[in-house]
Amino acid sequence: MSKDGAGVDLDKSLGYLLKEASTALRIAMEEVLRPLGMTVTHYSCLELLAQRPGMSNSELARGAFVTRQSMNVLLQALERDGYVTRPAEAAVGKVLPAQLTPRGRQSLEEASAAVRAVEVGMLAGMTENEQESAFRALRSMVHSLRDPA
Amino acid sequence: MSKDGAGVDLDKSLGYLLKEASTALRIAMEEVLRPLGMTVTHYSCLELLAQRPGMSNSELARGAFVTRQSMNVLLQALERDGYVTRPAEAAVGKVLPAQLTPRGRQSLEEASAAVRAVEVGMLAGMTENEQESAFRALRSMVHSLRDPA
DNA sequence: CACCATATGTCAGACTTCTGACATGAGCAA
DNA sequence: TTGCTCATGTCAGAAGTCTGACATATGGTG
């Protein structure tokens, strides 16, 4: 019953393993971010804004892999708490470019260090070549999933 | 600003790419499972039960990468809707072994075929060797994340 | 110009998952 | 036996994310 032709053999499925790895990473990140009062999406948003100041709500949503509605909820909270600022109205169109405040930047520094340590730990025991080929493999999977042509 | 020493360069981060790939896979699976009225966790639960009948709620939770509380909510719904059966009381201890009903098995068949197609598509363009090394890389990451020693 | 497809920001409600908590049972050691 | 630790099932409430919907702005095309 455990490996009949109709079923998916989870122990050998790259999809299943992909989810397993992603979950392990998320849990490890939540573990170090929780003491800082931050969720993974919360951190992702700040990190994105540090790299590309002025990103809009929709751009941040795509970068953090959530819907723009979810990002909007988060962004309003970050704005209320003083981590992020947005102009009251759009200069052009409806796009509101977001910026980190000094407080946001400082908060990100602690988080970024913690997250970087998690990623370094994740890659422990892998050679540069192994990391490179894993990178290419994941890129290929993303491309195939998004463009099934 | 986009690549100062303090930040994480998301474009080169394996962690970020891992989340991207996992999200792409989840979205692709949701897309094919939605017409069947099934979520990814819902499907995962049925697939696990097909491979190992008699799994308990907690075992299913670990296998589907959710908490046992979340799996309990789902399992109660699956039981109510006739996809799964559990004994009214435990034969030994508190563990309630779950089983697929014929209806659950039939529902799984359609879903399993759809999900298998998604996974095949995801691996399109990758050689057997590339898949194998990706598998080892992900396994290594999971291990390092769970056991940071 | 008018029209249409696309993208954005936002609100509202529902769904899924999570954390916290409790009681119960198994396993092991003193 | 008693006590301790761990795992399990479950309930309740909170948090995060999602889908659906609407108004608005842009860009291209007739």
Side-chain angles (χ1 to χ4, degrees):
Chain A
M1 183 65 77
S2 66
K3 36 178 78 179
D4 57 318
V8 171
D9 192 341
L10 298 181
D11 286 336
K12 293 174 184 166
S13 160
L14 253 181
Y16 187 77
L17 183 54
L18 179 55
K19 183 170 181 179
E20 182 169 10
S22 172
T23 300
L25 174 60
R26 176 178 55 79
I27 288 177
M29 288 180 65
E30 285 171 349
E31 202 165 316
V32 300
L33 289 175
R34 187 185 316 279
L36 304 176
M38 232 184 263
T39 67
V40 173
T41 306
H42 180 145
Y43 157 76
S44 301
C45 178
L46 298 186
E47 189 74 63
L48 285 163
L49 278 177
Q51 295 200 14
R52 299 219 281 111
M55 284 180 80
S56 71
N57 175 53
S58 288
E59 290 174 320
L60 289 167
R62 282 189 291 267
F65 310 114
V66 296
T67 63
R68 68 186 194 278
Q69 292 92 330
S70 298
M71 182 54 73
N72 194 38
V73 171
L74 172 61
L75 217 41
Q76 285 173 357
L78 292 178
E79 209 172 355
R80 164 173 52 77
D81 297 341
Y83 296 101
V84 160
T85 54
R86 283 193 293 180
E89 44 187 58
V92 54
K94 300 183 69 175
V95 176
L96 300 176
Q99 300 272 348
L100 286 183
T101 64
R103 179 177 184 179
R105 231 177 298 273
Q106 178 187 349
S107 175
L108 171 60
E109 267 183 44
E110 309 173 271
S112 193
V115 168
R116 203 160 43 241
V118 168
E119 178 151 355
V120 168
M122 178 178 81
L123 300 178
M126 293 176 66
T127 69
E128 195 74 30
N129 275 346
E130 285 170 336
Q131 293 180 30
E132 188 61 35
S133 70
F135 198 92
R136 276 194 303 271
L138 288 173
R139 271 244 162 288
S140 169
M141 293 188 214
V142 170
H143 178 270
S144 296
L145 285 168
R146 289 217 258 252
D147 181 13
Chain B
M1 182 65 77
S2 66
K3 34 178 77 174
D4 57 322
V8 171
D9 193 339
L10 297 180
D11 286 337
K12 293 173 182 165
S13 160
L14 252 180
Y16 187 77
L17 183 54
L18 179 55
K19 183 170 179 178
E20 183 169 8
S22 171
T23 301
L25 175 59
R26 176 178 53 79
I27 289 177
M29 287 179 67
E30 285 171 349
E31 202 164 316
V32 300
L33 288 175
R34 187 187 315 278
L36 305 176
M38 233 184 262
T39 68
V40 173
T41 307
H42 181 144
Y43 157 75
S44 300
C45 178
L46 298 186
E47 188 74 63
L48 285 163
L49 278 177
Q51 295 200 12
R52 298 219 281 111
M55 285 181 81
S56 71
N57 175 53
S58 288
E59 290 174 321
L60 289 167
R62 282 189 292 268
F65 311 115
V66 295
T67 62
R68 68 185 193 277
Q69 292 91 331
S70 299
M71 183 54 74
N72 194 37
V73 171
L74 171 62
L75 217 42
Q76 284 174 357
L78 291 178
E79 208 172 357
R80 166 174 49 79
D81 297 341
Y83 296 99
V84 161
T85 54
R86 285 192 293 180
E89 44 186 56
V92 53
K94 299 183 70 175
V95 176
L96 299 176
Q99 300 271 350
L100 285 184
T101 64
R103 178 178 184 178
R105 229 178 299 272
Q106 177 186 351
S107 175
L108 171 61
E109 266 183 45
E110 308 172 271
S112 194
V115 168
R116 202 161 44 241
V118 168
E119 177 150 357
V120 168
M122 178 179 79
L123 301 178
M126 293 175 65
T127 68
E128 195 74 30
N129 275 345
E130 285 170 335
Q131 293 181 31
E132 189 61 35
S133 68
F135 198 93
R136 277 194 302 270
L138 289 172
R139 271 243 161 286
S140 170
M141 295 188 213
V142 170
H143 179 270
S144 296
L145 285 167
R146 290 216 257 251
D147 180 12

